[in-house]
Amino acid sequence: MGTLLIILIVLFVALIVILPLVEKYAPKGETRGYGNLTRFIFPLVALLIVVQIIRYYFF
């Protein structure tokens, strides 16, 4: 259980660090609005964590 939590924490922290860097250094010429997609990232990550914990304990 401890290993799972460590992996999830490392992935979550990496997402928090990498996502702003990717947005900052992305090419400016793109006309697509990726800003709309980034607001879905954190809820989806939270949902994934909850689903994985449920799966770990019950299946």
Side-chain angles (χ1 to χ4, degrees):
M1 177 65 182
T3 306
L4 174 66
L5 289 177
I6 291 171
I7 292 171
L8 289 174
I9 290 170
V10 168
L11 289 174
F12 190 70
V13 170
L15 181 66
I16 290 173
V17 171
I18 292 172
L19 189 62
L21 289 175
V22 168
E23 288 178 351
K24 182 177 180 181
Y25 295 111
K28 304 295 186 221
E30 295 184 15
T31 58
R32 294 183 182 178
Y34 289 110
N36 292 337
L37 293 176
T38 58
R39 65 182 170 142
F40 294 109
I41 296 293
F42 290 116
L44 288 175
V45 169
L47 179 65
L48 180 64
I49 291 171
V50 170
V51 168
Q52 290 297 322
I53 290 173
I54 291 171
R55 184 175 163 217
Y56 180 78
Y57 282 115
F58 296 108
F59 297 107

PDB file of all heavy atoms in Angstrom, residues 23-41:
ATOM      1  N   GLU A  23       2.914  24.230 -20.799  1.00  0.00           N
ATOM      2  CA  GLU A  23       2.105  25.359 -21.239  1.00  0.00           C
ATOM      3  C   GLU A  23       2.969  26.594 -21.489  1.00  0.00           C
ATOM      4  O   GLU A  23       2.721  27.348 -22.420  1.00  0.00           O
ATOM      5  CB  GLU A  23       1.039  25.680 -20.207  1.00  0.00           C
ATOM      6  CG  GLU A  23      -0.067  24.654 -20.141  1.00  0.00           C
ATOM      7  CD  GLU A  23      -1.086  24.981 -19.076  1.00  0.00           C
ATOM      8  OE1 GLU A  23      -0.835  25.908 -18.271  1.00  0.00           O
ATOM      9  OE2 GLU A  23      -2.132  24.327 -19.049  1.00  0.00           O
ATOM     10  N   LYS A  24       3.971  26.797 -20.667  1.00  0.00           N
ATOM     11  CA  LYS A  24       4.807  27.982 -20.789  1.00  0.00           C
ATOM     12  C   LYS A  24       5.663  27.939 -22.056  1.00  0.00           C
ATOM     13  O   LYS A  24       5.814  28.949 -22.739  1.00  0.00           O
ATOM     14  CB  LYS A  24       5.714  28.099 -19.561  1.00  0.00           C
ATOM     15  CG  LYS A  24       6.591  29.323 -19.575  1.00  0.00           C
ATOM     16  CD  LYS A  24       7.407  29.414 -18.304  1.00  0.00           C
ATOM     17  CE  LYS A  24       8.295  30.641 -18.315  1.00  0.00           C
ATOM     18  NZ  LYS A  24       9.111  30.732 -17.106  1.00  0.00           N
ATOM     19  N   TYR A  25       6.231  26.791 -22.373  1.00  0.00           N
ATOM     20  CA  TYR A  25       7.150  26.677 -23.490  1.00  0.00           C
ATOM     21  C   TYR A  25       6.516  26.096 -24.755  1.00  0.00           C
ATOM     22  O   TYR A  25       7.220  25.744 -25.690  1.00  0.00           O
ATOM     23  CB  TYR A  25       8.370  25.845 -23.085  1.00  0.00           C
ATOM     24  CG  TYR A  25       9.185  26.534 -22.018  1.00  0.00           C
ATOM     25  CD1 TYR A  25       9.235  26.030 -20.721  1.00  0.00           C
ATOM     26  CD2 TYR A  25       9.883  27.695 -22.304  1.00  0.00           C
ATOM     27  CE1 TYR A  25       9.978  26.659 -19.742  1.00  0.00           C
ATOM     28  CE2 TYR A  25      10.623  28.335 -21.329  1.00  0.00           C
ATOM     29  CZ  TYR A  25      10.666  27.811 -20.049  1.00  0.00           C
ATOM     30  OH  TYR A  25      11.395  28.456 -19.082  1.00  0.00           O
ATOM     31  N   ALA A  26       5.198  25.979 -24.779  1.00  0.00           N
ATOM     32  CA  ALA A  26       4.526  25.484 -25.983  1.00  0.00           C
ATOM     33  C   ALA A  26       4.616  26.535 -27.084  1.00  0.00           C
ATOM     34  O   ALA A  26       4.709  27.730 -26.812  1.00  0.00           O
ATOM     35  CB  ALA A  26       3.058  25.182 -25.666  1.00  0.00           C
ATOM     36  N   PRO A  27       4.595  26.101 -28.324  1.00  0.00           N
ATOM     37  CA  PRO A  27       4.623  27.073 -29.431  1.00  0.00           C
ATOM     38  C   PRO A  27       3.427  28.019 -29.357  1.00  0.00           C
ATOM     39  O   PRO A  27       2.302  27.594 -29.107  1.00  0.00           O
ATOM     40  CB  PRO A  27       4.543  26.196 -30.683  1.00  0.00           C
ATOM     41  CG  PRO A  27       4.934  24.842 -30.254  1.00  0.00           C
ATOM     42  CD  PRO A  27       4.599  24.727 -28.795  1.00  0.00           C
ATOM     43  N   LYS A  28       3.685  29.295 -29.581  1.00  0.00           N
ATOM     44  CA  LYS A  28       2.641  30.304 -29.435  1.00  0.00           C
ATOM     45  C   LYS A  28       1.750  30.410 -30.667  1.00  0.00           C
ATOM     46  O   LYS A  28       0.710  31.027 -30.629  1.00  0.00           O
ATOM     47  CB  LYS A  28       3.283  31.680 -29.171  1.00  0.00           C
ATOM     48  CG  LYS A  28       4.186  31.701 -27.975  1.00  0.00           C
ATOM     49  CD  LYS A  28       3.427  31.457 -26.699  1.00  0.00           C
ATOM     50  CE  LYS A  28       4.362  31.641 -25.518  1.00  0.00           C
ATOM     51  NZ  LYS A  28       4.215  30.702 -24.483  1.00  0.00           N
ATOM     52  N   GLY A  29       2.137  29.818 -31.774  1.00  0.00           N
ATOM     53  CA  GLY A  29       1.396  29.953 -33.011  1.00  0.00           C
ATOM     54  C   GLY A  29       0.165  29.081 -33.123  1.00  0.00           C
ATOM     55  O   GLY A  29      -0.580  29.173 -34.075  1.00  0.00           O
ATOM     56  N   GLU A  30      -0.071  28.208 -32.167  1.00  0.00           N
ATOM     57  CA  GLU A  30      -1.206  27.300 -32.257  1.00  0.00           C
ATOM     58  C   GLU A  30      -2.502  28.051 -31.992  1.00  0.00           C
ATOM     59  O   GLU A  30      -2.601  28.857 -31.082  1.00  0.00           O
ATOM     60  CB  GLU A  30      -1.054  26.154 -31.261  1.00  0.00           C
ATOM     61  CG  GLU A  30       0.125  25.259 -31.562  1.00  0.00           C
ATOM     62  CD  GLU A  30       0.200  24.076 -30.626  1.00  0.00           C
ATOM     63  OE1 GLU A  30      -0.793  23.806 -29.941  1.00  0.00           O
ATOM     64  OE2 GLU A  30       1.244  23.445 -30.582  1.00  0.00           O
ATOM     65  N   THR A  31      -3.523  27.746 -32.777  1.00  0.00           N
ATOM     66  CA  THR A  31      -4.805  28.413 -32.614  1.00  0.00           C
ATOM     67  C   THR A  31      -5.755  27.625 -31.722  1.00  0.00           C
ATOM     68  O   THR A  31      -6.790  28.133 -31.337  1.00  0.00           O
ATOM     69  CB  THR A  31      -5.469  28.625 -33.987  1.00  0.00           C
ATOM     70  OG1 THR A  31      -5.628  27.358 -34.624  1.00  0.00           O
ATOM     71  CG2 THR A  31      -4.612  29.536 -34.859  1.00  0.00           C
ATOM     72  N   ARG A  32      -5.412  26.403 -31.408  1.00  0.00           N
ATOM     73  CA  ARG A  32      -6.276  25.591 -30.542  1.00  0.00           C
ATOM     74  C   ARG A  32      -6.202  26.090 -29.116  1.00  0.00           C
ATOM     75  O   ARG A  32      -5.172  26.531 -28.647  1.00  0.00           O
ATOM     76  CB  ARG A  32      -5.863  24.123 -30.575  1.00  0.00           C
ATOM     77  CG  ARG A  32      -6.074  23.476 -31.906  1.00  0.00           C
ATOM     78  CD  ARG A  32      -5.702  22.023 -31.811  1.00  0.00           C
ATOM     79  NE  ARG A  32      -5.864  21.372 -33.106  1.00  0.00           N
ATOM     80  CZ  ARG A  32      -5.569  20.123 -33.325  1.00  0.00           C
ATOM     81  NH1 ARG A  32      -5.077  19.384 -32.359  1.00  0.00           N
ATOM     82  NH2 ARG A  32      -5.753  19.590 -34.499  1.00  0.00           N
ATOM     83  N   GLY A  33      -7.309  25.960 -28.420  1.00  0.00           N
ATOM     84  CA  GLY A  33      -7.348  26.382 -27.026  1.00  0.00           C
ATOM     85  C   GLY A  33      -7.136  25.207 -26.087  1.00  0.00           C
ATOM     86  O   GLY A  33      -8.081  24.560 -25.674  1.00  0.00           O
ATOM     87  N   TYR A  34      -5.883  24.926 -25.771  1.00  0.00           N
ATOM     88  CA  TYR A  34      -5.602  23.826 -24.852  1.00  0.00           C
ATOM     89  C   TYR A  34      -5.881  24.221 -23.412  1.00  0.00           C
ATOM     90  O   TYR A  34      -5.871  23.369 -22.530  1.00  0.00           O
ATOM     91  CB  TYR A  34      -4.151  23.366 -25.000  1.00  0.00           C
ATOM     92  CG  TYR A  34      -3.896  22.635 -26.294  1.00  0.00           C
ATOM     93  CD1 TYR A  34      -3.125  23.197 -27.293  1.00  0.00           C
ATOM     94  CD2 TYR A  34      -4.444  21.383 -26.515  1.00  0.00           C
ATOM     95  CE1 TYR A  34      -2.898  22.540 -28.486  1.00  0.00           C
ATOM     96  CE2 TYR A  34      -4.234  20.708 -27.699  1.00  0.00           C
ATOM     97  CZ  TYR A  34      -3.452  21.296 -28.673  1.00  0.00           C
ATOM     98  OH  TYR A  34      -3.237  20.624 -29.843  1.00  0.00           O
ATOM     99  N   GLY A  35      -6.092  25.486 -23.145  1.00  0.00           N
ATOM    100  CA  GLY A  35      -6.411  25.921 -21.794  1.00  0.00           C
ATOM    101  C   GLY A  35      -7.697  25.296 -21.284  1.00  0.00           C
ATOM    102  O   GLY A  35      -7.862  25.063 -20.099  1.00  0.00           O
ATOM    103  N   ASN A  36      -8.623  25.026 -22.200  1.00  0.00           N
ATOM    104  CA  ASN A  36      -9.875  24.392 -21.802  1.00  0.00           C
ATOM    105  C   ASN A  36      -9.655  22.954 -21.356  1.00  0.00           C
ATOM    106  O   ASN A  36     -10.386  22.452 -20.505  1.00  0.00           O
ATOM    107  CB  ASN A  36     -10.865  24.412 -22.967  1.00  0.00           C
ATOM    108  CG  ASN A  36     -11.328  25.812 -23.291  1.00  0.00           C
ATOM    109  OD1 ASN A  36     -11.281  26.696 -22.441  1.00  0.00           O
ATOM    110  ND2 ASN A  36     -11.762  26.019 -24.511  1.00  0.00           N
ATOM    111  N   LEU A  37      -8.662  22.303 -21.921  1.00  0.00           N
ATOM    112  CA  LEU A  37      -8.393  20.913 -21.538  1.00  0.00           C
ATOM    113  C   LEU A  37      -7.710  20.819 -20.183  1.00  0.00           C
ATOM    114  O   LEU A  37      -7.922  19.852 -19.445  1.00  0.00           O
ATOM    115  CB  LEU A  37      -7.523  20.240 -22.604  1.00  0.00           C
ATOM    116  CG  LEU A  37      -8.171  20.040 -23.965  1.00  0.00           C
ATOM    117  CD1 LEU A  37      -7.159  19.450 -24.936  1.00  0.00           C
ATOM    118  CD2 LEU A  37      -9.372  19.143 -23.857  1.00  0.00           C
ATOM    119  N   THR A  38      -6.896  21.812 -19.842  1.00  0.00           N
ATOM    120  CA  THR A  38      -6.143  21.719 -18.601  1.00  0.00           C
ATOM    121  C   THR A  38      -7.037  21.796 -17.370  1.00  0.00           C
ATOM    122  O   THR A  38      -6.663  21.287 -16.315  1.00  0.00           O
ATOM    123  CB  THR A  38      -5.077  22.829 -18.517  1.00  0.00           C
ATOM    124  OG1 THR A  38      -5.709  24.090 -18.613  1.00  0.00           O
ATOM    125  CG2 THR A  38      -4.047  22.667 -19.607  1.00  0.00           C
ATOM    126  N   ARG A  39      -8.202  22.385 -17.500  1.00  0.00           N
ATOM    127  CA  ARG A  39      -9.077  22.449 -16.327  1.00  0.00           C
ATOM    128  C   ARG A  39      -9.689  21.088 -16.003  1.00  0.00           C
ATOM    129  O   ARG A  39     -10.209  20.880 -14.914  1.00  0.00           O
ATOM    130  CB  ARG A  39     -10.163  23.495 -16.517  1.00  0.00           C
ATOM    131  CG  ARG A  39     -11.123  23.186 -17.622  1.00  0.00           C
ATOM    132  CD  ARG A  39     -12.139  24.290 -17.773  1.00  0.00           C
ATOM    133  NE  ARG A  39     -12.895  24.069 -18.985  1.00  0.00           N
ATOM    134  CZ  ARG A  39     -14.182  24.317 -19.086  1.00  0.00           C
ATOM    135  NH1 ARG A  39     -14.838  24.798 -18.053  1.00  0.00           N
ATOM    136  NH2 ARG A  39     -14.798  24.083 -20.214  1.00  0.00           N
ATOM    137  N   PHE A  40      -9.620  20.151 -16.932  1.00  0.00           N
ATOM    138  CA  PHE A  40     -10.136  18.811 -16.687  1.00  0.00           C
ATOM    139  C   PHE A  40      -9.080  17.866 -16.133  1.00  0.00           C
ATOM    140  O   PHE A  40      -9.404  16.779 -15.670  1.00  0.00           O
ATOM    141  CB  PHE A  40     -10.699  18.209 -17.974  1.00  0.00           C
ATOM    142  CG  PHE A  40     -11.913  18.911 -18.482  1.00  0.00           C
ATOM    143  CD1 PHE A  40     -11.850  19.683 -19.627  1.00  0.00           C
ATOM    144  CD2 PHE A  40     -13.108  18.815 -17.802  1.00  0.00           C
ATOM    145  CE1 PHE A  40     -12.967  20.339 -20.097  1.00  0.00           C
ATOM    146  CE2 PHE A  40     -14.236  19.463 -18.262  1.00  0.00           C
ATOM    147  CZ  PHE A  40     -14.170  20.230 -19.411  1.00  0.00           C
ATOM    148  N   ILE A  41      -7.819  18.256 -16.167  1.00  0.00           N
ATOM    149  CA  ILE A  41      -6.737  17.359 -15.781  1.00  0.00           C
ATOM    150  C   ILE A  41      -6.833  16.978 -14.313  1.00  0.00           C
ATOM    151  O   ILE A  41      -6.806  15.791 -13.963  1.00  0.00           O
ATOM    152  CB  ILE A  41      -5.364  17.991 -16.091  1.00  0.00           C
ATOM    153  CG1 ILE A  41      -5.195  18.185 -17.595  1.00  0.00           C
ATOM    154  CG2 ILE A  41      -4.232  17.163 -15.509  1.00  0.00           C
ATOM    155  CD1 ILE A  41      -5.094  16.919 -18.381  1.00  0.00           C
TER     156      ILE A  41
END
